[in-house]
Amino acid sequence: MDRTTRHSETRYGNRPTMKDVAARAGVGLKTVSRVVNSEPGVTPDTERRVQEAIDALGFRRNDSARVLRKGRTASIGLVLEDLADPFYGPLSRAVEEVARAHGALLINGSSAEDPEREQELVLALCARRVDGLIVIPAGDDHRYLEPEIKAGIATVFVDRPAGRVDADMVLSDSFGGSREGVAHLIAHGHRRIGFIGDQPRIHTATERLRGYHAAMTDAGITVEHSWVSLGSTEPGRVRAAAEAMLGGPEPVTALFAGNNRVTVTAVRVIAEQDRPVALVGFDDIELADLLGITVISQDAAAVGRTAAEHLFRRLDGADHAPARVELPTTLIPRGSGELPPA
């Protein structure tokens, strides 16, 4: 076969079939099926001819049709907030490793923190008959998933609880981690501590703010309104909040950053100050060890792995009540959180 003929047989939208392989090898369709699926009953010479035809045509087995006949698609969906967020890299990789160990394909998508987009993406995955879903919620009402869950699509929510449905969830201890981080700043002499967090509709943002208030209350410190700012993690908004807290006649002496994106902007603003400012960030960031940034670290890989393991237990038939798993965080002191008040 010349290059032109082979190209015409394998062009996009016209992939070779088992019938094409059978015709080229001069065998029956059942014989090709046996070779493709590694079944017995084919002589070595016939198997060689079929394999040569497969190689020449560039044939690939249609796994989707095969698994659909068995009632399972051997695929799961993962709906993230933002694929660019470094927190979700190790989480996604851990989910993929567990899925691969179970012979399943992982399909990723990003909601961009938009509840409508989350619902659209989740339902699109359901329409493609994924066996299960792992969802980082963007919205707070997931009743749209009830028919899918009842139909047998296993679902685990990660990082934030599901809204108005009962389902498995795997979270990090946002409240406890934030409380520990702020208490760490207080232990190093700070009493005027600013908190910059994500949007208040996000569960992790409110939990971390709650931990901040708990630590301040434990220490008998009254929080001033100007010390707290919730909103978009867009750098301009975070910069304005940090500069306001660090300016004026009675500035804060320390900042607690509510997530990794806030921490990055806070580091830049603090570097422009003419006095030292202590900083603790929730979530680790790249180069934090070299920059000496104290953080409350989440084990994103453990979160992803735990969620995926729960999902596959459900797929294997576990029918216990919905579980809530909360994984601990770790304080990593590196210098910025140990600075005393100026």
Side-chain angles (χ1 to χ4, degrees):
M1 179 185 294
D2 61 26
R3 291 177 180 270
T4 303
T5 303
R6 177 169 180 173
H7 177 74
S8 68
E9 290 187 353
T10 59
R11 68 184 184 276
Y12 180 78
N14 189 28
R15 292 180 295 181
T17 66
M18 283 202 291
K19 288 183 179 180
D20 298 324
V21 174
R24 183 179 179 89
V27 299
L29 191 59
K30 181 61 178 175
T31 299
V32 176
S33 176
R34 285 174 175 157
V35 173
V36 167
N37 294 298
S38 301
E39 296 173 356
V42 182
T43 66
D45 181 63
T46 300
E47 182 177 359
R48 177 185 56 76
R49 296 203 328 267
V50 171
Q51 193 58 57
E52 286 175 353
I54 288 172
D55 293 341
L57 294 173
F59 170 80
R60 294 292 181 271
R61 184 177 66 184
N62 185 348
D63 278 338
S64 60
R66 178 171 174 262
V67 296
L68 278 170
R69 286 195 296 272
K70 296 183 178 182
R72 292 274 289 272
T73 61
S75 63
I76 63 171
L78 173 60
V79 179
L80 303 166
E81 173 202 345
D82 182 357
L83 292 170
D85 189 319
F87 173 75
Y88 295 120
L91 187 153
S92 176
R93 187 162 57 249
V95 172
E96 186 171 23
E97 288 171 357
V98 175
R100 185 177 180 185
H102 285 81
L105 176 70
L106 177 67
I107 306 171
N108 281 341
S110 172
S111 69
E113 209 52 273
D114 180 346
E116 290 186 6
R117 183 167 170 177
E118 172 210 296
Q119 180 173 342
E120 179 183 325
L121 179 56
V122 166
L123 293 180
L125 289 168
C126 291
R128 284 158 178 77
R129 300 188 61 176
V130 294
D131 298 318
L133 290 165
I134 295 176
V135 181
I136 288 87
D140 57 7
D141 187 349
H142 294 90
R143 286 176 295 176
Y144 70 85
L145 256 175
E146 284 181 335
E148 311 299 336
I149 294 173
K150 288 178 181 177
I153 294 182
T155 306
V156 178
F157 289 85
V158 175
D159 195 41
R160 308 161 190 174
R164 308 179 74 176
V165 296
D166 291 327
D168 293 326
M169 62 186 75
V170 179
L171 316 172
S172 289
D173 184 8
S174 286
F175 169 77
S178 178
R179 188 177 193 172
E180 182 180 16
V182 175
H184 185 73
L185 290 168
I186 294 169
H188 284 82
H190 297 276
R191 298 187 67 82
R192 300 180 63 82
I193 302 170
F195 178 95
I196 305 176
D198 210 331
Q199 301 185 61
R201 64 179 175 80
I202 297 174
H203 171 79
T204 50
T206 58
E207 282 295 284
R208 292 168 195 175
L209 178 60
R210 193 167 69 87
Y212 163 83
H213 278 295
M216 299 292 270
T217 299
D218 291 343
I221 302 172
T222 300
V223 175
E224 295 185 14
H225 179 74
S226 60
W227 296 354
V228 174
S229 178
L230 296 180
S232 164
T233 57
E234 190 274 324
R237 202 285 301 182
V238 174
R239 169 174 284 278
E243 289 176 344
M245 292 180 191
L246 294 171
E250 292 187 293
V252 299
T253 62
L255 289 175
F256 186 87
N259 66 25
N260 51 12
R261 285 164 289 186
V262 173
T263 301
V264 170
T265 302
V267 168
R268 292 192 170 107
V269 174
I270 288 172
E272 299 166 2
Q273 303 300 304
D274 57 4
R275 60 187 173 86
V277 177
L279 171 68
V280 174
F282 203 110
D283 287 339
D284 215 344
I285 62 172
E286 190 174 6
L287 301 182
D289 54 340
L290 296 179
L291 295 172
I293 301 170
T294 298
V295 298
I296 300 297
S297 177
Q298 303 183 80
D299 190 340
V303 171
R305 184 168 54 253
T306 302
E309 288 169 351
H310 271 266
L311 185 74
F312 281 99
R313 279 198 289 272
R314 288 292 187 190
L315 290 173
D316 289 339
D319 61 354
H320 53 76
R324 177 187 175 114
V325 178
E326 195 162 73
L327 301 180
T329 57
T330 303
L331 171 68
I332 305 177
R334 295 185 176 126
S336 71
E338 294 69 57
L339 294 172

